[in-house]
Amino acid sequence: MRTTTGGSGTGHREHLRALVSDDLLSRVAWSRLVEPGDWRAAALIGEVGAGEALRALLDRDVEWMARYRARVAHLDPERDLSGAQRVGGRVLLPSDDEWPASLDLLRAPPPCLWVRGPARLDEVLVRSAAVVGARAATSYGEHVATELSCGLVERGFAVVSGMAYGIDAAAHRGALAGAGVSVGVVAGGLDRAYPAAHERLLHRLAESGAVVSEVPPGSAPTKGRFLQRNRLIAACTTGTVVVEAAVRSGSLNTARTAERLGKPVGAVPGPVTSPASAGCHALIRSGAAVVVTDAEEVAELLGTMGADAAPLKAGERRITDELDPLATRVLDALPKRAGRSMDRLCDTAGLDPASVQSALGRLALLGLAERDGAGWRIARPAGPRVPDYARQAAGVVRGDL
Amino acid sequence: MRTTTGGSGTGHREHLRALVSDDLLSRVAWSRLVEPGDWRAAALIGEVGAGEALRALLDRDVEWMARYRARVAHLDPERDLSGAQRVGGRVLLPSDDEWPASLDLLRAPPPCLWVRGPARLDEVLVRSAAVVGARAATSYGEHVATELSCGLVERGFAVVSGMAYGIDAAAHRGALAGAGVSVGVVAGGLDRAYPAAHERLLHRLAESGAVVSEVPPGSAPTKGRFLQRNRLIAACTTGTVVVEAAVRSGSLNTARTAERLGKPVGAVPGPVTSPASAGCHALIRSGAAVVVTDAEEVAELLGTMGADAAPLKAGERRITDELDPLATRVLDALPKRAGRSMDRLCDTAGLDPASVQSALGRLALLGLAERDGAGWRIARPAGPRVPDYARQAAGVVRGDL
């Protein structure tokens, strides 16, 4: 509990009444009065402005506003402002150029945003990916989140995530490793590291990217605020990628919000034996997310159409891919060692002499077949000409695959 | 090369001419003459019958039939038949009740099928799953294929696969472990184990399930026959599941055939860091396959609508799931130890006294809140009431998650 300069006396109320003409201080006041996601307060503020809404709370006995009265006694917007300034933070209002416009898609946009760090939110969030997932992540999930984020910042995306253990922290670390912009959206005040072990990470983001909160400095990260923080991550980014999520993970909530806002959602698959991936698989099965397996595919999902298109995964091309079906069949019938006669080639391939003859001509031109005595065989030195299945099976037996 | 009783002489041709009135022997002859997947021969046989088609080959000089002539010299259907009988095999014709009707969906259905084993194909294939995948499988993939097949036979599905290393063999072993019916479709003759290391597996399938081939006994498994074997697996089953597949795996071919035939296709996801799963992810990304993570979901995909529906993965239900939003917020504001006063609860939860009072009443009824002195706290003994994120984060720190 804060011990404050405020109070419930008449002097305090008079002081607050004087603030209603100031949009900044009125919004900062509402930031303290409401819990994140409060759509009734948001609607009122949107309708009459933060100052008028504050005046209504102070002067009129509106029944549904009763819930905000408990916090009026401790309300001290100037103190909250200086609390932010003490850690180098600033306050963004919807009227500011830096305000992320997509937050206005929300049913309950925050009255203001508390921000630390050099990144200009409006500029970096226009090409940004929410990389979210389980706190109880596996080393696989953390590895993928790190790689993904590193690849995304290399492609000019800002990475946005919470600051929790597991995928969140791995996402930020990947973005920092790629010398990119990483934005941490926290559930408590931007002066508080939660978990405490992430104090250093919080400072790195505040130095090179941004830390964002919708509650005033000093606020505790409560369960409800974590859930609402997720809606903020979904709303402020171009799209969301879930790396690992159990079936009850809060990051599924982020994904659902992104989907509801019409933003692209990707999910990274994992072993079906891993409960940490079950939520991702459920998202994909339900059609709420598409499969993404690397930064290229995420960039395609979130990026500018065409410019960010990911190439199809096709594997190494081989000269034998270009062969017509008859030549493939004759190649398949050629022996590796002693040459085989035309008659026997026709029999093995199940083809007439004219077809075999012409196929051999094409194979010889490509360096795939050669004469051997009276017959034909696979040309040496053998490259990728040994049939694949034989090579692979042999590899499995030898244990070298 | 076979050394046979046949020959290119007039006597041999006369003998063959005498066969054309016999549908069985004529089809067995075509089974030797064509390579699997030959749609021209299939169309002719479908049009005029196997006997008439054989007569045309023997007596007329049709240009496109030249390719079949190379094998006429060694043609000996009676020997092929007795070769099958020697290993307890039988020949199925399209006119037989046991013929799998869905093979007629193919552009080039085989002239006949060579079958070993007690399973009646028409009966077992009506509820069957092709479980296919990479030869170069990982232990993850083999584990999943085994579990999946075991779960499928428990749900009354026959499992159908090739007999290769990796996923194929794991699929059969899982089905055998579940005491179910497993059908091995081989690329060579049904008397030949390929790879040789699977001789024992071949015998187990021949004893308890079935071994199926479209080429006569003694035939070698060539590359082209492997590809055509895949089309047979796709066509004879209710649907196909790919467990692990690299981007160039032949099992993608099976999946594409199944898709073309309008059959459901599932793919099992895996680590995005594993090339052995890249083909599965590509199938899912392209929309050719849906994600399946266990036998229940495969059964839903392939099974009777409704009867085989898989439950949504929802995780354990908790009493707190049922709480209304206000009660959740108040529960979130309750301290674990010393009771908190009404005033402070209102402040922490951001709610008015009436709302907090009524929420506390509901929480107390559910055994989630209790009085402590003049205030309220979370009821003991604490069950699932500690907020999840705190428990999980603590677990991560302690390393017990």
Side-chain angles (χ1 to χ4, degrees):
Chain A
M1 193 71 187
R2 291 165 289 110
T3 56
T4 73
T5 58
S8 50
T10 323
H12 180 56
R13 287 181 103 73
E14 277 315 308
H15 177 71
L16 293 175
R17 266 189 202 97
L19 303 181
V20 304
S21 59
D22 186 312
D23 190 43
L24 171 65
L25 289 172
S26 298
R27 286 187 173 272
V28 166
W30 276 110
S31 178
R32 174 69 70 184
L33 289 170
V34 298
E35 278 301 304
D38 186 317
W39 58 270
R40 277 181 292 201
L44 181 67
I45 293 168
E47 195 69 33
V48 303
E52 277 312 304
L54 187 58
R55 194 200 306 274
L57 175 64
L58 295 171
D59 291 347
R60 291 160 59 188
D61 191 20
V62 185
E63 199 190 331
W64 67 264
M65 296 183 82
R67 62 172 59 178
Y68 310 123
R69 282 190 200 110
R71 291 185 184 162
V72 167
H74 312 292
L75 204 55
D76 191 347
E78 288 100 335
R79 186 208 47 207
D80 286 339
L81 267 183
S82 57
Q85 282 156 1
R86 207 172 304 126
V87 293
R90 60 194 186 272
V91 174
L92 289 189
L93 305 186
S95 54
D96 290 330
D97 287 344
E98 195 188 338
W99 182 262
S102 60
L103 288 187
D104 299 329
L105 295 170
L106 288 169
R107 194 180 179 204
C112 65
L113 280 185
W114 303 84
V115 186
R116 290 170 75 175
R120 253 195 75 129
L121 292 192
D122 58 333
E123 287 171 5
V124 302
L125 294 178
V126 80
R127 185 172 167 91
S128 62
V131 178
V132 298
R135 278 175 299 269
T138 69
S139 57
Y140 161 70
E142 295 190 356
H143 168 79
V144 172
T146 307
E147 291 290 308
L148 213 56
S149 295
C150 192
L152 283 168
V153 299
E154 278 167 8
R155 286 167 176 79
F157 285 85
V159 166
V160 179
S161 193
M163 297 278 296
Y165 285 115
I167 300 302
D168 283 14
H172 290 305
R173 292 195 175 110
L176 292 171
V181 172
S182 213
V183 178
V185 185
V186 295
L190 43 62
D191 54 343
R192 293 178 64 144
Y194 183 89
H198 286 171
E199 176 124 35
R200 172 99 192 87
L201 183 60
L202 187 83
H203 283 291
R204 289 182 69 193
L205 295 185
E207 277 161 20
S208 68
V211 177
V212 176
S213 170
E214 62 176 313
V215 294
S219 303
T222 62
K223 191 173 188 177
R225 289 172 188 166
F226 275 106
L227 288 173
Q228 297 298 335
R229 183 270 311 267
N230 291 346
R231 100 192 185 291
L232 218 58
I233 292 176
C236 76
T237 46
T238 314
T240 294
V241 182
V242 185
V243 177
E244 270 191 329
V247 287
R248 291 182 61 108
S249 170
S251 50
L252 299 181
N253 190 264
T254 315
R256 275 187 292 263
T257 304
E259 195 201 6
R260 203 166 50 237
L261 297 175
K263 301 190 177 231
V265 179
V268 176
V272 298
T273 47
S274 165
S277 286
C280 290
H281 296 149
L283 278 178
I284 299 164
R285 273 178 62 78
S286 72
V290 303
V291 168
V292 287
T293 67
D294 57 21
E296 206 159 41
E297 291 175 358
V298 175
E300 178 186 62
L301 179 68
L302 308 189
T304 316
M305 217 165 267
D308 289 302
L312 283 176
K313 303 269 183 297
E316 176 203 349
R317 291 201 67 78
R318 296 181 192 140
I319 191 168
T320 47
D321 293 349
E322 315 292 337
L323 292 179
D324 58 287
L326 288 190
T328 303
R329 215 152 124 180
V330 172
L331 179 62
D332 209 15
L334 285 176
K336 266 176 267 181
R337 295 196 183 80
R340 184 168 286 175
S341 72
M342 273 298 291
D343 271 9
R344 289 208 35 208
L345 280 180
C346 290
D347 184 17
T348 310
L351 290 173
D352 56 289
S355 300
V356 172
Q357 199 65 260
S358 107
L360 283 171
R362 276 165 287 160
L363 291 170
L365 271 176
L366 292 168
L368 295 170
E370 65 185 16
R371 285 189 179 281
D372 179 54
W376 289 81
R377 69 175 179 203
I378 291 177
R380 302 174 197 182
R385 289 141 207 175
V386 181
D388 245 9
Y389 57 85
R391 256 196 319 148
Q392 289 193 10
V396 169
V397 173
R398 287 195 312 267
D400 63 7
L401 274 180
Chain B
M1 194 71 186
R2 292 167 286 108
T3 57
T4 73
T5 57
S8 49
T10 324
H12 180 56
R13 284 185 165 267
E14 276 316 307
H15 178 70
L16 293 176
R17 267 189 203 96
L19 304 182
V20 304
S21 59
D22 185 313
D23 190 43
L24 171 63
L25 289 171
S26 299
R27 286 186 172 273
V28 165
W30 277 110
S31 178
R32 173 71 70 184
L33 290 170
V34 298
E35 278 301 304
D38 186 317
W39 57 269
R40 277 181 292 202
L44 182 67
I45 293 167
E47 195 69 31
V48 303
E52 277 312 303
L54 187 58
R55 195 200 305 276
L57 175 65
L58 294 171
D59 290 347
R60 289 159 59 186
D61 191 19
V62 185
E63 199 189 330
W64 67 264
M65 296 184 82
R67 62 172 57 178
Y68 308 125
R69 280 190 200 112
R71 291 185 183 162
V72 167
H74 310 293
L75 204 54
D76 191 347
E78 288 100 335
R79 186 208 47 206
D80 285 339
L81 267 184
S82 57
Q85 282 155 1
R86 208 172 304 126
V87 292
R90 61 195 186 273
V91 174
L92 289 190
L93 306 186
S95 53
D96 290 330
D97 286 344
E98 196 189 337
W99 181 262
S102 60
L103 289 186
D104 299 329
L105 294 171
L106 288 169
R107 193 178 178 206
C112 65
L113 280 186
W114 304 84
V115 186
R116 289 170 75 174
R120 253 194 76 130
L121 293 193
D122 58 333
E123 287 171 4
V124 301
L125 293 178
V126 80
R127 186 173 167 91
S128 62
V131 178
V132 299
R135 279 176 299 268
T138 68
S139 58
Y140 162 70
E142 295 190 358
H143 169 78
V144 172
T146 307
E147 291 290 307
L148 213 55
S149 295
C150 191
L152 283 168
V153 300
E154 278 167 8
R155 286 167 177 79
F157 285 85
V159 166
V160 179
S161 192
M163 298 277 296
Y165 286 114
I167 300 302
D168 284 13
H172 290 305
R173 292 194 175 111
L176 291 171
V181 173
S182 212
V183 178
V185 184
V186 295
L190 42 62
D191 54 342
R192 294 178 66 143
Y194 183 88
H198 286 170
E199 176 124 35
R200 171 98 192 90
L201 183 60
L202 186 83
H203 283 290
R204 289 182 70 192
L205 295 187
E207 277 160 21
S208 68
V211 176
V212 175
S213 170
E214 61 176 315
V215 294
S219 302
T222 61
K223 190 172 189 179
R225 289 173 187 164
F226 275 105
L227 287 175
Q228 296 299 336
R229 183 272 310 267
N230 291 347
R231 101 191 184 291
L232 218 57
I233 291 176
C236 76
T237 45
T238 314
T240 294
V241 182
V242 185
V243 176
E244 269 191 329
V247 287
R248 291 182 61 106
S249 170
S251 50
L252 299 183
N253 189 264
T254 314
R256 276 187 291 263
T257 304
E259 194 201 7
R260 204 166 48 238
L261 297 176
K263 301 191 177 229
V265 179
V268 176
V272 298
T273 47
S274 165
S277 287
C280 290
H281 297 149
L283 278 178
I284 299 163
R285 274 177 62 79
S286 72
V290 302
V291 168
V292 287
T293 67
D294 58 20
E296 206 158 39
E297 291 175 358
V298 175
E300 178 186 60
L301 179 68
L302 308 189
T304 316
M305 218 165 268
D308 290 302
L312 283 176
K313 303 269 183 299
E316 177 202 350
R317 289 201 68 77
R318 297 181 193 140
I319 191 169
T320 48
D321 293 349
E322 315 292 337
L323 292 180
D324 59 286
L326 287 190
T328 303
R329 218 153 121 178
V330 172
L331 180 62
D332 207 16
L334 285 176
K336 266 176 264 178
R337 295 196 183 83
R340 185 168 285 176
S341 71
M342 271 298 292
D343 272 8
R344 288 208 36 206
L345 279 180
C346 290
D347 183 17
T348 310
L351 289 173
D352 57 290
S355 299
V356 172
Q357 198 66 261
S358 107
L360 284 171
R362 277 166 287 160
L363 291 170
L365 270 176
L366 291 167
L368 295 170
E370 65 186 15
R371 286 189 179 280
D372 179 54
W376 289 81
R377 68 175 180 203
I378 291 177
R380 304 176 198 180
R385 288 143 208 172
V386 182
D388 243 10
Y389 57 85
R391 256 198 319 147
Q392 289 194 9
V396 169
V397 174
R398 288 196 312 267
D400 62 7
L401 274 180

